[in-house]
Amino acid sequence: MSTAALDLTDTQQKIMPLTDTTFRQAKVGDVPTICSIINNYAEQGLMLHRSHAEMYERLRDYQVADHEGQVVGVCGLRIMWGNLAEVYALAVAPQMRGKGIGQRLVEAVVDDARHMEIRKLFTLTYERAFFERCGFDVVDRHQMLPLKVWSECHRCPKNQACDEIAMMRILEEVPDRSPPAEKLRPNSLYEVPVLSAPMKRVDLEAREE
């Protein structure tokens, strides 16, 4: 699970000016608050739990929303290959939802990807409408994403009935400088999870578009 903790009003509004809110690279002092925001949603089954140790290890992945000195939102960008990265762990504090913060956080990590010349971004989400507003399209995960992107699926409680939607955004202005991805051996450590029936239909529709 990756990007679920959003308010639906975020999917319905344009980005508006946010007074006293800045978007910046995460710092070590932000980790307790980031974990609190993410794990609040993890307890509801909407995201994966993130430990402090994991957050410190991958701190450079994250952008945060800082409102009057308090972290109120977070979003990560995980590089998977030379031309592919995952937008993940997007969460906004409950009291700050519906203000466009989620969309600003996504654009912040998209800017990071653009700066690093990463052409393709994907996410696994329940919030299809929100990510469509952010320029993502539904894709067939089996054809568009290599097996290595499922590195967290073995930890997900829904790994035998995945119901998240795979979506991708291609930064057309970024050249594809990556060498072809290596083919994984048949006995690769991670396997594509079993999809729930609705997600099988979504993947099929994406394949046919």
Side-chain angles (χ1 to χ4, degrees), residues 53-71:
E54 180 182 1
M55 291 301 305
Y56 286 125
E57 181 179 352
R58 302 201 65 97
L59 189 63
R60 291 179 182 272
D61 285 2
Y62 294 96
Q63 293 284 329
V64 298
D66 183 322
H67 181 71
E68 299 180 341
Q70 179 72 21
V71 172

Side-chain angles (χ1 to χ4, degrees), residues 88-201:
Y88 77 110
L90 173 60
V92 176
Q95 73 275 14
M96 297 297 290
R97 298 190 315 189
K99 300 179 183 295
I101 290 175
Q103 194 166 349
R104 290 287 189 87
L105 283 166
V106 170
E107 288 307 314
V109 298
V110 168
D111 284 344
D112 281 349
R114 188 177 288 113
H115 176 73
M116 291 184 284
E117 296 190 338
I118 299 173
R119 181 176 171 83
K120 298 178 182 179
L121 306 178
F122 78 94
T123 191
L124 304 175
T125 183
Y126 297 119
E127 301 291 350
R128 176 174 180 170
F130 171 83
F131 277 96
E132 286 177 339
R133 283 184 60 86
C134 294
F136 288 71
D137 296 310
V138 176
V139 297
D140 174 7
R141 66 198 72 197
H142 294 94
Q143 292 193 1
M144 295 298 294
L145 303 175
L147 295 182
K148 65 169 60 181
V149 305
W150 304 101
S151 59
E152 285 193 324
C153 289
H154 66 291
R155 297 201 292 129
C156 178
K158 296 185 178 182
N159 65 351
Q160 292 302 306
C162 180
D163 58 355
E164 289 190 304
I165 300 171
M167 304 186 72
M168 179 174 285
R169 175 174 170 178
I170 298 177
L171 304 181
E172 300 290 352
E173 70 277 17
V174 175
D176 189 350
R177 304 185 189 280
S178 173
E182 298 175 352
K183 293 184 178 179
L184 298 182
R185 296 189 300 271
N187 61 346
S188 177
L189 176 61
Y190 304 116
E191 296 181 355
V192 174
V194 178
L195 299 182
S196 64
M199 289 305 99
K200 288 181 180 178
R201 289 196 294 271

